[in-house]
């Protein structure tokens, strides 16, 4: 095969074929980046969308009016709801003070008093020997029945498993044991066996070291419960008052705004809402102030006096029991104070009489009228005479004149027992007077809150409705 030079015509042709220039190799184009799709926009929260709608609505007068109406209605309703809630709690606590905690506190004091008096009656009957009087025996039995009945009542009103319930259970267990010891002491005493005195001292030990401390513990717990109820009933309802002031300020602003834009002095709906809120706020402040005053008065001139009188009465009972046991023991029980040795029961008698004297002096200071002062003053006179007669009886006993000392303690006339009975009777009269004072003052305090929770709720709903209607009246002018 013959090669033809460039530009030459191939054989057999008459025309030369032009030769194309060589095309240089082209570089491969680089890949063009494709822009990524924008990420999906996060969905807005309902709150954010609501804020946007409010912002847009606030740019128009109808929108602003709707916002104002909603805020006013919410404030008035919140004011009524908080008032109803706080006043319901305070009314319940005030009712508990009057009908639950204070009566239970008095019951606890009566349990202590009944047990102490039963112990005193038992020792008095023992001293009488076979000539124990029916009155002494009946007094003992009555005290035991009273203590048992009050324990049943305390158990029914105590929370299961609470410390008070456990104390009541303990006393219910100890009471039959104490009665058994007293009956054995009486049995042996009637037969003339000296072991009867040992049983009575053992019964007194159980009473003084186990039963009376448990009864005192129950009294302390019920007193604390009473103070807690006072603490719940008397504080000022500041959240409700603050909401009331805020609601009235907002309503006043809304009425002024309406006046400036319409030149109308009154908007009936807003006036009705303001009136309702004002009534609730006044009712709240005045009602609670009266309730607080009544409850504080019931505490200052009722509960405090009752506590002092209960303590004084208990001291007198303990003193009488120790006075009797001084003659029962006949010096068998002694105590040392420093380098001196004293009859244990006579020493305790002196301590109890000091407690009684201090309690009566305090009760006189707390008494705020003649009816409360007279029985306490009489008890002071009885106590003074009691001390004189006791000193004379102790002198006879220490000189070996036991029978004369016994007659001066449990005799029918001129004995220390007369003084003790007079002290107890006068203290009972003072307690009854202070109970009436407490019930009247606490009842007035509780009654001052009557109807306030429900009334506040109803007036708040009416006030909110008035605010909505008042703003609605303005909105109708834009349609």
């Amino acid at each position: 095969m013959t090669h033809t030079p460039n530009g030459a015509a191939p054989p057999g042709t008459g025309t030369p074929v032009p030769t194309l220039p060589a095309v240089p190799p082209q570089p491969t184009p680089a890949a063009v980046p494709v822009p990524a799709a924008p990420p999906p926009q996060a969905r807005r929260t309902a709150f954010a969308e609501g804020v946007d709608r409010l912002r847009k609505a606030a740019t128009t007068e109808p929108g602003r009016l709707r916002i104002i109406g909603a805020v006013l209605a919410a404030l008035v309703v919140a004011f009524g709801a908080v008032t109803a809630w706080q006043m319901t709690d305070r009314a319940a606590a005030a009712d508990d003070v009057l009908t639950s905690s204070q009566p239970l506190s008095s019951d606890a004091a009566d349990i202590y008093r009944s047990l102490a008096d039963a112990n005193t009656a038992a020792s008095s009957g023992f001293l009488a020997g076979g000539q124990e009087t029916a009155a002494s025996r009946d007094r003992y039995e009555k005290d035991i029945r009273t203590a048992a009945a009050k324990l049943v009542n305390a158990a029914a009103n105590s929370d299961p498993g609470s410390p008070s319930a456990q104390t009541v259970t303990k006393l219910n267990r100890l009471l039959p044991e104490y009665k058994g010891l007293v009956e054995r002491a009486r049995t042996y005493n009637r037969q003339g066996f000296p072991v009867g005195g040992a049983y009575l001292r053992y019964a007194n030990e159980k009473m003084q070291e186990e039963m009376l401390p448990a009864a005192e513990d129950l009294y302390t717990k019920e007193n604390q419960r009473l103070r807690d109820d006072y603490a719940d009933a008397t504080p000022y309802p500041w959240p409700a008052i603050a909401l009331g002031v805020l609601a009235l300020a907002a309503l006043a602003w809304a009425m002024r705004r309406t006046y400036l834009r319409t030149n109308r002095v009154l908007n009936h709906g807003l006036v009705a809402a303001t009136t309702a809120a004002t009534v609730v706020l006044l009712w709240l402040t005045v009602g609670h102030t009266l309730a607080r005053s009544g409850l504080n008065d019931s505490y200052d001139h009722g509960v405090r006096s009752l506590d002092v009188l209960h303590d004084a009465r208990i001291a007198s009972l303990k003193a009488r029991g120790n006075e009797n046991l001084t003659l029962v023991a006949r010096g068998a029980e002694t105590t040392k104070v420093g380098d001196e040795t004293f009859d244990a029961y006579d020493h305790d008698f002196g301590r109890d009489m000091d407690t009684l004297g201090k309690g009566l002096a305090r009760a006189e200071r707390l008494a705020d009228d003649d009816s409360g002062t007279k029985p306490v003053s009489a008890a002071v006179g009885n106590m003074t005479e009691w001390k004189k007669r006791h000193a004379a009886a102790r002198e006879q006993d220490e000189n070996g004149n036991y029978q004369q000392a016994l007659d001066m303690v449990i005799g029918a006339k001129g004995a220390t027992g007369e003084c003790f009975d007079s002290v107890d009777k006068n203290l009972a009269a003072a307690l009854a007077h202070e109970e009436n004072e407490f019930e009247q003052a606490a009842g007035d305090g509780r009654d001052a809150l009557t109807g306030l929770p429900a009334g506040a709720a109803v007036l708040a709903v009416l006030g909110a409705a008035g605010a909505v209607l008042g703003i609605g009246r303005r909105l109708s002018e834009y349609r």
Side-chain angles (χ1 to χ4, degrees), residues 89-98 100-102 104-105 159 162-164 218-235 288 292 295-296 298-299 303 307 438:
D89 288 347
R90 283 159 176 74
D95 186 67
D96 285 343
V97 165
L98 181 63
S100 177
S101 51
Q102 199 284 325
L104 285 175
S105 178
D159 296 329
S162 66
S164 293
L218 179 64
Y219 178 55
T220 301
K221 288 184 173 69
E222 294 302 337
N223 260 356
Q224 182 59 51
R225 180 177 174 183
L226 175 60
R227 286 192 291 271
D228 290 343
D229 285 336
Y230 270 106
D232 291 338
T234 55
H288 185 268
R292 180 186 173 92
L295 290 170
N296 285 340
S298 72
Y299 186 84
V303 173
D307 287 345
F438 162 80

Side-chain angles (χ1 to χ4, degrees), residues 408-444:
M408 296 174 72
V409 171
I410 64 169
K413 196 170 184 180
T416 59
E418 289 181 347
C419 299
F420 162 71
D421 289 338
S422 296
V423 168
D424 193 65
K425 180 180 177 181
N426 283 308
L427 287 176
L431 281 165
H433 172 74
E434 297 300 335
E435 285 275 4
N436 290 333
E437 293 276 299
F438 162 80
E439 290 176 1
Q440 182 176 352
D444 291 342

Side-chain angles (χ1 to χ4, degrees), residues 3-56:
H3 294 279
T4 304
N6 288 340
T13 65
T15 306
V17 179
T19 302
L20 297 174
V23 180
Q26 299 294 324
T28 303
V32 179
V34 179
Q41 189 172 5
R43 181 180 177 86
R44 302 186 67 197
T45 64
F47 176 76
E49 293 176 357
V51 170
D52 280 348
R53 284 196 295 271
L54 283 175
R55 188 181 296 114
K56 292 176 182 177

Side-chain angles (χ1 to χ4, degrees), residues 153-179:
N153 189 45
N157 288 280
S158 300
D159 296 329
S162 66
S164 293
Q166 295 172 5
T167 303
V168 171
T169 300
K170 179 181 179 180
L171 285 169
N172 277 323
R173 174 178 56 81
L174 290 172
L175 188 58
E177 296 178 11
Y178 172 79
K179 287 179 63 180

Side-chain angles (χ1 to χ4, degrees), residues 218 280 378 406:
L218 179 64
V280 173
L406 186 63

Side-chain angles (χ1 to χ4, degrees), residues 66-255:
R66 290 188 182 93
I67 293 171
I68 292 170
V71 171
L72 291 177
L75 278 175
V76 174
V77 169
F79 171 42
V82 173
T83 298
W85 163 55
Q86 290 198 296
M87 289 301 99
T88 297
D89 288 347
R90 283 159 176 74
D95 186 67
D96 285 343
V97 165
L98 181 63
T99 63
S100 177
S101 51
Q102 199 284 325
L104 285 175
S105 178
S106 290
D107 282 350
D110 285 341
I111 290 171
Y112 194 112
R113 188 204 66 78
S114 298
L115 292 175
D117 194 50
N119 199 46
T120 298
S123 60
S124 297
F126 184 91
L127 287 174
Q131 288 76 40
E132 180 181 4
T133 64
S136 175
R137 180 75 182 186
D138 290 344
R139 181 170 183 168
Y140 168 81
E141 295 293 345
K142 180 182 177 182
D143 287 331
I144 294 296
R145 287 195 302 270
T146 299
K150 297 291 185 179
L151 285 171
V152 170
N153 189 45
N157 288 280
S158 300
D159 296 329
S162 66
S164 293
Q166 295 172 5
T167 303
V168 171
T169 300
K170 179 181 179 180
L171 285 169
N172 277 323
R173 174 178 56 81
L174 290 172
L175 188 58
E177 296 178 11
Y178 172 79
K179 287 179 63 180
L181 290 171
V182 171
E183 292 307 319
R184 287 188 182 184
R186 281 177 167 156
T187 299
Y188 287 123
N189 187 46
R190 282 194 296 267
Q191 295 175 3
F193 296 149
V195 73
Y199 272 107
L200 186 65
R201 290 195 298 274
Y202 184 34
N204 177 72
E205 182 180 332
K206 183 176 287 291
M207 176 65 74
Q208 298 290 344
E209 296 183 5
E210 296 184 63
M211 299 177 70
L212 290 182
E216 185 176 8
D217 182 57
L218 179 64
Y219 178 55
T220 301
K221 288 184 173 69
E222 294 302 337
N223 260 356
Q224 182 59 51
R225 180 177 174 183
L226 175 60
R227 286 192 291 271
D228 290 343
D229 285 336
Y230 270 106
D232 291 338
T234 55
Y236 275 107
W238 293 118
I241 293 173
L243 273 173
V245 172
L246 182 61
L248 284 176
L251 287 165
W253 173 84
M255 287 193 294

Side-chain angles (χ1 to χ4, degrees), residues 112 116 120 208 212 216 313-323 348-349 351-352 420:
Y112 194 112
T120 298
Q208 298 290 344
L212 290 182
E216 185 176 8
R313 197 177 190 192
I314 287 167
S316 72
L317 288 163
K318 292 170 72 173
R320 179 59 176 173
N322 284 317
E323 183 177 47
D348 290 344
F349 169 84
R351 182 190 59 195
D352 294 331
F420 162 71

